[in-house]
Amino acid sequence: MRNQTFAQAPRKERVELKGEIKSVIFNSPDTGYTVLDLQCEDSVFTVVGIFPQVSVGQNVRAEGKFEVKTLYGKQFFADKVWVSQPSKLDGIKKFLSSGLIAGLGPATAEAIVAKFGVDSLEMMKFPFELAKVKGISLKKATEFGMSYVKLQKMQNAIMFLQELGITINMALRIYKVYDLKTEDNVRKNPYMLVDDIDGIGFATADRIAGELGIEKNSDHRISAAIIYILKDAALKAGHNYLPEATLVESTRTLLGGETVVEDSRIQDVIQDLVFLGDLVKYDTGEHTAILLKRNYRTERNIARRLLQLKQQASDFRVDVDYEVGRFEREAGFELHPNQKDAVREAVQNGVHIITGGPGTGKTTIVKCIIRLFKNLGQRVALCAPTGRAAKRLAQATDADAKTIHRLLEMDWKNGEGHFTFDEHCPLPLDAVIVDEVSMVDEFVFNALLNALPKGARLVLVGDKDQLASVGAGNVLNDLIKCGRFSVSYLTQIYRQSEDSKIVPNAHKINRGEMPDLDNKSSDFFFEEKDTGESICATTIALVTKRLPKYLGIQPRDIQVLCPMKRSYAGTVNLNRELQRVINPPSPHKRELKHGDLIFREGDKVMQLQNNYQQEWTQQVGSRTERGTGVFNGDIGTVESINTQIMQFTVRFDDDKVSVYQYSDIDQLTLAYAVTIHKSQGCEFDAVVIALESNYLLQTRNLLYTAVTRAKRLVVLAGSKKTVQRMVRNNETARRYSLLINLIENEARGDDF
């Protein structure tokens, strides 16, 4: 009887189920997500979760919780599972004929069980014995045996990892990387996991190492801590390197203090890693920089490629004034003299940078440059770091624009991402224009430079005063500061109407002046609120009632921006409250729960990390395009959820549609409210900025970036003191980068 004892099972407490697999309803080979029926004495339960490869007849012990699903009834969600082989004849027969052992079908399984009985599975390990069964050759017996042993080792490795406190989802990821060497690798050096497995940090590896008895002062532990800190500094703060003194201090703290590991020992391990080629030591003149070899090669290659582009730009004669005049006549307006200068510099230089705030005519210049290049028969491409930025660029210029990844044609082979276009297969282009360069991290920028052919021109467009990229480096500002490339600074404001205050106030903030908060304009408003609770309540009212009525738009078109996540008026709480009002629970809307988050059909969501393997489709007219790659900051809507097989479909704002497995759900978050950092490169009809007081996050460029995300309307919700504090605070967190040093070295021809 199915779910006979469900009423007696505590729904919100952890439960253990033991039984035999009666049927496997669904299994994803890629993610391990499985739906199966488990026979537990007289009852059958539907169990869902991440499983190793399993089949009918195997025994399972599962830990988890019961949940009620609106469409498919009662299910048991398992987060820990242990699998063992069947011991009864019927179970053994079902297992052998399940298809897990390639080439072994029901008839052969029947013959094996008929000969060996309950010892059948043990005999699978001995090909010469197995070959005694009629119809099984020695070759086939060997293949069956190898397949069975591999399956056993996989299941044993998963259970070994679970006993170390690793979730089964993560255990499957580890097994996919290490395969049959999983247990040996983890026992020998669990710190390998930090480098090799996404989602495992030093703390997890260190805990595993402790359980395995590895000494606190082992070289493996110290070197893993050093590399983890360098990677974490790049991921969280954008540093390409750390000063040696900072690295030593951070490593000592992470390892438990000087009583555990002395500074001299850490310095010795750093030197060993330099000797082995894992790290690079570089004297900046200010301090000794320590960086990962990959980071050093990236910045050095950027320096070399940029100077090559500058020196090797193809020389062609063009009357810029004539071409600009043609553009002006077609556009019906005249360019400002410094706009004309920017066009001239872009055409005449191999590398040119155009920087300016909102309304300073960057898009107009780009349109003119495109027209000029095309009139000269030059092949030109436009690109931007994100899908939203590329879409906005295409709309503004009436030209095709792609993400950098799509321009380079990201391909995924053998488990690793590769760009189709690189130094061996350059882009068939004469010029590339990159918008929103402040968002571009060094690794993506390096890939783009590698794909540019000799003689190509590179035009970089961005706002130097916006927040730096989420990834490592500070490309735009470093290239401006180095003084080796031509730069056009745009200061004249063109895009504003008489009663508009978005652009003027953005420039006031950028100059360190208080914006006008008198609420006399039609597009810039201030709501004086002193507490997180009042800011939260006001934000909800603005998004759900007041602004939709004022602008005639849907709440989804209004974006809430916050400096932080964890506060009353932070993204976590605001997303929960806005979801409750904008997209409340409904019997007609399926849901998926992940921790404290609930994803519901119709929810606005954001991708939190680059996933180069994520497949998508896009309808372009009558043609369906297919590709891979969904990127950090992409925003979309949950179109549908299949709770039976735990899949959900997201339609992103550029109309790409992607299907996610439940195991990928941590890549997404609700996006009714997002951090200001995550909004970079985006533009929204209306923006509500929730400014709850936080001294650590109150900086001028943070407020400036938030205000410049809005096209039609901005509302600041907070106190004047908070706005004043942000406007006055022009401190920007320093990013450690060697790019300027390496450009200088390359320009001087130094051997470095």
Side-chain angles (χ1 to χ4, degrees):
M1 183 182 298
R2 178 178 293 274
N3 293 333
Q4 179 181 345
T5 60
F6 178 81
Q8 287 77 43
R11 284 185 52 207
K12 295 303 180 184
E13 297 178 7
R14 291 187 65 77
V15 180
E16 180 179 278
L17 295 182
K18 292 181 180 178
E20 180 184 301
I21 299 176
K22 183 179 180 182
S23 63
V24 178
I25 300 167
F26 174 80
N27 171 261
S28 168
D30 293 330
T31 67
Y33 185 80
T34 302
V35 181
L36 56 83
D37 280 340
L38 192 67
Q39 179 82 48
C40 302
E41 296 181 349
D42 296 331
S43 300
V44 177
F45 295 99
T46 299
V47 180
V48 298
I50 307 299
F51 280 71
Q53 283 184 300
V54 292
S55 79
V56 172
Q58 287 186 296
N59 298 314
V60 167
R61 177 164 65 93
E63 289 184 8
K65 294 182 180 181
F66 282 100
E67 296 282 351
V68 176
K69 306 307 292 180
T70 56
L71 189 63
Y72 297 101
K74 305 159 186 176
Q75 293 181 337
F76 182 83
F77 283 79
D79 52 30
K80 287 187 177 181
V81 298
W82 291 264
V83 181
S84 59
Q85 307 305 6
S87 55
K88 298 177 181 178
L89 285 178
D90 185 56
I92 293 171
K93 195 182 302 181
K94 289 177 182 176
F95 169 73
L96 288 176
S97 60
S98 66
L100 281 185
I101 300 172
L104 203 164
T108 306
E110 184 83 38
I112 293 172
V113 173
K115 184 171 183 60
F116 298 116
V118 293
D119 296 324
S120 296
L121 296 183
E122 185 65 22
M123 290 300 104
M124 294 293 294
K125 304 174 186 176
F126 303 101
F128 285 102
E129 292 296 318
L130 198 60
K132 294 177 181 178
V133 176
K134 186 178 180 180
I136 300 179
S137 66
L138 182 59
K139 180 182 178 183
K140 273 291 181 186
T142 303
E143 291 173 355
F144 292 161
M146 291 175 64
S147 180
Y148 175 73
V149 169
K150 184 174 182 179
L151 177 65
Q152 261 199 324
K153 285 189 174 182
M154 184 268 282
Q155 292 177 340
N156 290 339
I158 298 299
M159 288 185 279
F160 161 73
L161 293 171
Q162 281 191 110
E163 292 298 334
L164 292 174
I166 296 172
T167 66
I168 189 167
N169 188 13
M170 186 59 71
L172 278 170
R173 289 193 208 176
I174 295 169
Y175 188 81
K176 283 183 178 181
V177 174
Y178 297 145
D179 201 59
L180 297 180
K181 295 181 179 179
T182 296
E183 188 168 345
D184 288 341
N185 285 350
V186 173
R187 286 190 182 280
K188 182 179 178 181
N189 180 15
Y191 296 103
M192 293 171 63
L193 297 168
V194 180
D195 280 340
D196 297 339
I197 312 297
D198 288 339
I200 290 190
F202 180 82
T204 299
D206 203 35
R207 178 184 56 74
I208 294 168
E211 292 189 23
L212 293 173
I214 294 175
E215 295 294 330
K216 292 288 187 182
N217 63 350
S218 74
D219 283 352
H220 283 322
R221 184 170 188 253
I222 298 170
S223 61
I226 291 165
I227 291 173
Y228 170 77
I229 286 168
L230 288 171
K231 288 184 174 180
D232 196 54
L235 181 67
K236 294 182 178 177
H239 297 309
N240 202 49
Y241 75 85
L242 286 177
E244 185 172 20
T246 302
L247 178 59
V248 170
E249 180 182 357
S250 299
T251 304
R252 184 201 330 122
T253 301
L254 182 62
L255 294 175
E258 197 165 356
T259 56
V260 178
V261 180
E262 296 179 350
D263 287 2
S264 58
R265 181 75 187 283
I266 296 170
Q267 290 168 333
D268 288 344
V269 175
I270 289 173
Q271 192 57 48
D272 289 344
L273 290 170
V274 171
F275 178 76
L276 292 170
D278 296 321
L279 302 181
V280 171
K281 184 178 283 191
Y282 185 98
D283 184 4
T284 68
E286 178 185 359
H287 47 238
T288 300
I290 306 293
L291 65 161
L292 298 167
K293 186 67 171 284
R294 176 198 178 201
N295 294 14
Y296 174 74
R297 286 177 172 170
T298 297
E299 289 201 321
R300 183 174 176 179
N301 189 65
I302 288 172
R304 181 174 61 85
R305 290 276 182 178
L306 282 170
L307 289 170
Q308 285 177 347
L309 287 173
K310 178 182 176 180
Q311 296 159 3
Q312 298 172 354
S314 56
D315 185 22
F316 55 83
R317 297 184 179 278
V318 55
D319 187 337
V320 175
D321 290 335
Y322 172 77
E323 294 296 338
V324 169
R326 285 178 63 185
F327 173 79
E328 290 175 328
R329 288 190 295 275
E330 292 172 5
F333 58 82
E334 290 189 11
L335 298 185
H336 188 275
N338 74 340
Q339 289 181 305
K340 293 181 181 180
D341 290 340
V343 174
R344 182 176 292 103
E345 293 291 319
V347 173
Q348 293 177 345
N349 288 281
V351 178
H352 183 62
I353 301 164
I354 300 170
T355 183
T360 55
K362 297 190 295 293
T363 302
T364 300
I365 293 171
V366 169
K367 290 173 73 173
C368 184
I369 293 170
I370 295 169
R371 182 64 56 84
L372 195 151
F373 277 137
K374 288 185 175 179
N375 287 343
L376 294 170
Q378 300 291 293
R379 299 164 298 176
V380 60
L382 278 74
C383 60
T386 67
R388 286 182 72 96
K391 185 175 181 179
R392 181 162 55 85
L393 180 63
Q395 290 170 343
T397 59
D398 295 320
D400 185 37
K402 300 178 179 179
T403 63
I404 297 173
H405 290 84
R406 197 170 178 200
L407 177 68
L408 300 180
E409 294 187 7
M410 167 65 77
D411 191 14
W412 201 268
K413 295 177 181 176
N414 303 320
E416 293 186 5
H418 303 274
F419 288 115
T420 300
F421 294 104
D422 56 19
E423 59 268 40
H424 306 297
C425 180
L427 289 161
L429 296 170
D430 302 297
V432 172
I433 302 171
V434 188
D435 197 20
E436 297 285 359
V437 181
S438 62
M439 294 180 63
V440 181
D441 67 50
E442 290 184 342
F443 300 109
V444 173
F445 190 59
N446 181 55
L448 176 63
L449 292 177
N450 282 337
L452 294 181
K454 182 178 180 180
R457 280 167 165 71
L458 178 64
V459 182
L460 305 174
V461 184
D463 186 345
K464 66 179 180 61
D465 296 313
Q466 283 191 26
L467 295 170
S469 60
V470 175
N474 199 4
V475 171
L476 179 59
N477 275 282
D478 283 351
L479 297 189
I480 291 172
K481 288 177 182 176
C482 78
R484 291 285 178 176
F485 307 102
S486 62
V487 182
S488 293
Y489 297 92
L490 306 178
T491 56
Q492 181 72 29
I493 301 174
Y494 307 96
R495 194 186 75 215
Q496 68 179 93
S497 60
E498 289 185 6
D499 64 343
S500 172
K501 287 289 181 68
I502 295 178
V503 171
N505 275 342
H507 284 273
K508 281 189 172 185
I509 292 167
N510 201 30
R511 294 193 298 266
E513 302 171 10
M514 275 291 288
D516 293 333
L517 304 179
D518 55 14
N519 292 340
K520 292 182 179 179
S521 73
S522 62
D523 62 359
F524 196 102
F525 299 97
F526 175 68
E527 293 275 333
E528 177 74 54
K529 302 295 172 186
D530 293 325
T531 66
E533 291 89 341
S534 61
I535 294 170
C536 177
T538 298
T539 299
I540 293 168
L542 284 165
V543 173
T544 61
K545 296 179 181 178
R546 295 167 59 186
L547 294 184
K549 184 177 180 180
Y550 179 72
L551 292 175
I553 60 177
Q554 296 298 314
R556 194 190 184 285
D557 298 321
I558 302 164
Q559 186 61 56
V560 177
L561 303 180
C562 311
M564 51 197 156
K565 298 178 183 177
R566 304 285 177 183
S567 69
Y568 209 100
T571 59
V572 174
N573 188 54
L574 279 169
N575 270 319
R576 187 183 301 116
E577 294 300 313
L578 287 166
Q579 181 193 45
R580 179 178 57 82
V581 180
I582 296 172
N583 192 31
S586 166
H588 307 293
K589 294 180 180 179
R590 298 180 183 92
E591 298 179 353
L592 285 177
K593 187 175 181 181
H594 178 63
D596 294 332
L597 275 178
I598 293 175
F599 292 92
R600 188 173 296 130
E601 288 176 336
D603 271 335
K604 184 177 180 181
V605 293
M606 173 182 276
Q607 177 80 11
L608 290 174
Q609 63 192 64
N610 291 338
N611 184 341
Y612 303 110
Q613 298 182 75
Q614 185 70 30
E615 296 179 351
W616 52 260
T617 60
Q618 185 179 36
Q619 200 66 31
V620 182
S622 59
R623 187 178 77 258
T624 300
E625 291 189 358
R626 300 181 183 276
T628 59
V630 180
F631 305 109
N632 189 353
D634 287 353
I635 293 177
T637 302
V638 178
E639 273 200 334
S640 63
I641 294 174
N642 186 327
T643 52
Q644 177 69 5
I645 60 174
M646 301 297 272
Q647 286 183 342
F648 56 106
T649 301
V650 177
R651 179 179 293 274
F652 289 96
D653 286 353
D654 56 3
D655 289 326
K656 291 189 180 75
V657 177
S658 190
V659 177
Y660 287 77
Q661 306 294 332
Y662 181 77
S663 57
D664 300 323
I665 201 168
D666 56 358
Q667 295 182 27
L668 293 165
T669 190
L670 295 175
Y672 301 103
V674 302
T675 62
I676 297 170
H677 282 86
K678 287 288 186 183
S679 73
Q680 288 173 266
C682 299
E683 199 172 61
F684 309 98
D685 279 340
V687 166
V688 177
I689 307 171
L691 292 178
E692 188 171 354
S693 180
N694 183 301
Y695 290 90
L696 295 175
L697 294 170
Q698 291 176 350
T699 61
R700 183 187 301 172
N701 67 339
L702 196 72
L703 181 58
Y704 172 73
T705 299
V707 169
T708 54
R709 298 308 89 206
K711 290 190 291 186
R712 295 176 57 188
L713 183 140
V714 171
V715 182
L716 303 182
S719 70
K720 283 187 180 179
K721 287 183 179 179
T722 300
V723 177
Q724 288 170 342
R725 194 177 293 119
M726 296 183 81
V727 169
R728 287 198 303 265
N729 184 6
N730 199 29
E731 293 293 324
T732 54
R734 177 176 179 180
R735 288 202 166 191
Y736 291 115
S737 164
L738 291 180
L739 187 54
I740 294 176
N741 302 68
L742 296 177
I743 288 172
E744 286 303 309
N745 288 349
E746 186 72 35
R748 292 195 303 264
D750 292 351
D751 184 14
F752 61 100

